[in-house]
């Protein structure tokens, strides 16, 4: 059985800094199977990749760049939370 089989997101990762540097707007949900979370992160990063290409051409380049930034931030938050979950399982703290 892989480490990933029973691991779920921790809900510890926050993102979208706003206002004060230590203030974030969003937190990942706990309890999502890591395989589902990683699939979603892949989708977010794929969209961000597409937006960066659009940002290099034509109109609305600033909006495309900002959209890519937000999508990348969300994808990174998912990966960070999954990493925390997998490290906890590997260390024997969960499941």
């Amino acid at each position: 059985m892989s480490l990933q089989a029973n691991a779920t997101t921790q809900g510890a990762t926050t993102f979208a800094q706003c206002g004060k540097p230590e203030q974030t707007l969003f937190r990942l949900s706990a309890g999502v199977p890591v395989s589902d979370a990683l699939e979603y992160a892949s989708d977010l990063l794929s969209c961000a990749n597409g937006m960066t290409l659009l940002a290099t051409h034509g109109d609305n380049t600033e909006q495309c760049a900002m959209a890519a930034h937000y999508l990348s931030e969300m994808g990174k938050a998912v990966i960070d939370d999954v990493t925390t979950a997998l490290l906890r399982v590997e260390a024997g703290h969960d499941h």
Side-chain angles (χ1 to χ4, degrees):
M1 181 181 298
S2 72
L3 288 177
Q4 173 177 326
N6 295 320
T8 60
T9 55
Q10 299 295 293
T13 304
T14 60
F15 64 100
Q17 182 270 326
C18 62
K20 300 175 186 173
E22 69 279 357
Q23 180 175 292
T24 55
L25 189 57
F26 299 111
R27 174 182 302 274
L28 263 71
S29 296
V32 177
V34 296
S35 58
D36 294 342
L38 288 172
E39 183 177 346
Y40 194 79
S42 178
D43 291 342
L44 288 169
L45 295 174
S46 178
C47 289
N49 187 50
M51 296 302 289
T52 60
L53 289 175
L54 289 174
T56 64
H57 307 293
D59 300 327
N60 300 318
T61 58
E62 186 175 326
Q63 290 88 345
C64 288
M66 287 309 300
H69 169 76
Y70 292 129
L71 290 166
S72 297
E73 184 178 25
M74 288 186 275
K76 182 185 181 316
V78 172
I79 291 169
D80 289 350
D81 206 80
V82 165
T83 300
T84 299
L86 292 175
L87 290 172
R88 287 183 58 83
V89 169
E90 186 176 69
H93 296 294
D94 289 338
H95 305 288

